[in-house]
Amino acid sequence: MTAIAEVPIETLIACHQCDALHRAAEPPTGGKARCRRCGTVLIAPRRGALVRVLAMAITVAVLMLGATFFPFLGITAAGVTNESSVFDAALAFSAGPMVGLSIAVAALIVFVPLLRMLLLIYVLGPLAAGRAAAPQAAWAFRTAEALRPWSMAEIFLIGVAVALVKVAGLATVVLGPAFWMFVALVIVAVLKDGYMCRWSIWQALERSAR
Amino acid sequence: MPVVDLAGAGTVGAVTGAVTGAAISARDAGLVACTRCTRVWPQGQARCGRCGSRLRSRDLHSMQRVWAWWAAGLLAYVPANLYPMLRTHTLFTTQENTIVGGAVELAAGGSLGVAAVILIASVAIPVGKFGAIAFLAISIHGRQRHSGHRRHRLYEMVEFVGRWSMIDVFVVAILSALVQLGSLVSIRPGPAAVTFALSVVFTMLSAQSFDSRLIFDQTGQEQDAA
């Protein structure tokens, strides 16, 4: 048994879900270190993760810009056509008292995911290049993490699938280029989350700050 | 007091508490943990020196926030089901659909799978979430029959699944933007879209306010599962 007093405080890690105290030790690359009490994954380093996550964050940010403004979906019925971009969908509530909902929807499906990626690029860029962390990098990463539950691009995509079924009976649907960009960005974003080991990034930031 | 190693970390030389004893919490060791970056600090420190988050050993005011957001979410959920989510204007008619009405119509049209998605995301998840959060919030008082592990799994589910209720709001947004074919057919959002979105946001805030570490404080004496 190792007594607490013998262990330096910076080598300890507490589970953020249940507060169980552990000695931090990195598992082999590709492995996962879990909390002994509740099983939450606390450390999961992957080979070349910094560079890959950075590359994926840039990819998602670029795709998001394209996916927002290019035509997303179009419908035709009896010779009448209408095209809509993701931005139009976000502005669907902008008439009258529902403006607030429009702003919220735009935030959830475009601005928050985009802001998260920009913050990640800001944090990981210098680290991946082997340079000192950017000023306020800890704040940037903390904000990116806090925004995670509010980034709903993948949920929007399921909403699109449901809407397509509803519209199919009314009109002919055309999938625009932005639709495929959006599908791609959701896939890359999910892969990126699987690659990102938060503990490793915090450690890198702490080392860089010293 | 013993410190355990992480499961799967594969270090040698340290004795784990997994077989004989229970894990100790940072608070029992006189420390305060950062819930954002998992760094540990001496008790009494106000902010995490690594990530800058506010440190609280246990958030004692959190239950008030949990219940306040919970009640607000429930209040918003009632009109969300009573008022129309969608208004469909065709050449001569205007049709209004509530959440459940829209799902029933989809099911009647043969799209059973999509109707199920809507019913699960807009009815089953929100209702289950209200029950689950209330159960967890009550369960941290007094002795518990349900183990910390089971309650923690429930909490993780609530956190993970809650955001998916937004699906129906996005469906309304897409339909309203897309289906604008002049007098032929046009779809407009109904007031329920606003109250439903508010209800989802409020319940997400309620779940986020809950300090999951409280679940394990009473069960500290329990045997470890890992």
Side-chain angles (χ1 to χ4, degrees):
Chain A
M1 294 254 173
T2 319
I4 264 189
E6 298 166 15
V7 184
I9 195 166
E10 61 271 17
T11 65
L12 289 173
I13 180 173
C15 174
H16 56 93
Q17 287 280 334
C18 76
D19 210 32
L21 197 61
H22 307 80
R23 282 211 307 185
E26 233 172 294
T29 304
K32 284 178 182 155
R34 293 171 181 277
C35 170
R36 287 254 174 223
R37 179 151 65 182
C38 71
T40 305
V41 174
L42 295 175
I43 307 178
R46 305 285 289 265
R47 196 184 307 277
L50 273 188
V51 179
R52 284 192 204 195
V53 171
L54 176 65
M56 290 192 222
I58 295 172
T59 310
V60 171
V62 172
L63 284 173
M64 183 60 97
L65 287 177
T68 305
F69 296 105
F70 282 118
F72 187 66
L73 296 170
I75 57 168
T76 310
V80 192
T81 306
N82 184 44
E83 268 191 351
S84 163
S85 67
V86 172
F87 209 64
D88 293 331
L91 295 180
F93 305 107
S94 59
M98 297 201 203
V99 187
L101 189 56
S102 244
I103 296 168
V105 168
L108 295 174
I109 61 184
V110 178
F111 296 127
V112 170
L114 188 61
L115 179 63
R116 274 195 74 216
M117 292 309 127
L118 295 178
L119 288 169
L120 274 183
I121 294 167
Y122 179 77
V123 172
L124 298 180
L127 294 181
R131 290 208 301 270
Q136 301 296 317
W139 173 87
F141 190 47
R142 185 155 52 93
T143 308
E145 284 292 281
L147 287 174
R148 193 145 53 105
W150 305 102
S151 166
M152 299 194 179
E154 74 277 23
I155 299 171
F156 177 71
L157 203 55
I158 305 294
V160 172
V162 172
L164 286 180
V165 174
K166 284 200 173 192
V167 175
L170 289 173
T172 317
V173 182
V174 185
L175 303 178
F179 177 82
W180 301 109
M181 291 170 108
F182 211 89
V183 171
L185 91 82
V186 166
I187 293 171
V188 177
V190 170
L191 286 175
K192 177 198 66 71
D193 271 342
Y195 254 99
M196 202 162 91
C197 171
R198 287 156 190 98
W199 183 82
S200 305
I201 295 173
W202 282 122
Q203 286 289 107
L205 285 175
E206 193 177 20
R207 269 198 303 274
S208 158
R210 259 193 236 123
Chain B
M1 273 188 281
V3 187
V4 296
D5 282 321
L6 289 162
T11 39
V12 266
V15 178
T16 71
V19 186
T20 49
I24 58 160
S25 65
R27 180 162 75 165
D28 293 339
L31 302 166
V32 55
C34 174
T35 50
R36 178 62 68 201
C37 77
T38 66
R39 184 84 149 83
V40 176
W41 302 96
Q43 218 150 50
Q45 183 154 339
R47 276 185 186 278
C48 175
R50 174 156 78 177
C51 75
S53 301
R54 282 259 294 281
L55 296 174
R56 287 198 203 84
S57 185
R58 292 297 178 272
D59 196 344
L60 295 172
H61 297 296
S62 72
M63 295 324 287
Q64 291 175 19
R65 269 183 286 131
V66 170
W67 283 114
W69 288 124
W70 185 89
L74 195 60
L75 275 180
Y77 189 63
V78 174
N81 278 284
L82 297 179
Y83 287 100
M85 197 82 172
L86 278 179
R87 292 204 174 99
T88 312
H89 305 270
T90 54
L91 220 42
F92 305 109
T93 60
T94 298
Q95 193 196 356
E96 297 192 330
N97 276 128
T98 56
I99 293 172
V100 176
V104 168
E105 196 173 277
L106 272 172
S111 310
L112 286 176
V114 180
V117 168
I118 291 289
L119 281 179
I120 290 170
S122 308
V123 182
I125 291 180
V127 170
K129 218 173 141 176
F130 286 121
I133 294 175
F135 166 73
L136 288 171
I138 293 167
S139 81
I140 63 156
H141 304 292
R143 284 201 59 79
Q144 258 312 301
R145 284 178 297 123
H146 303 274
S147 78
H149 296 288
R150 277 173 58 192
R151 282 183 289 145
H152 181 244
R153 197 151 306 142
L154 180 66
Y155 176 71
E156 277 187 320
M157 252 166 65
V158 165
E159 278 248 276
F160 176 78
V161 118
R163 319 153 61 229
W164 288 89
S165 296
M166 266 312 198
I167 286 178
D168 219 18
V169 176
F170 293 150
V171 171
V172 173
I174 300 156
L175 289 177
S176 315
L178 192 60
V179 185
Q180 294 297 338
L181 300 177
S183 56
L184 204 57
V185 56
S186 67
I187 292 182
R188 293 211 175 84
V194 177
T195 51
F196 187 76
L198 282 176
S199 170
V200 176
V201 169
F202 290 158
T203 45
M204 278 177 71
L205 289 169
S206 174
Q208 284 179 16
S209 304
F210 186 79
D211 190 343
S212 62
R213 297 173 296 185
L214 293 168
I215 293 176
F216 287 90
D217 282 347
Q218 325 149 293
T219 53
Q221 269 62 278
E222 255 177 50
Q223 280 293 322
D224 262 57

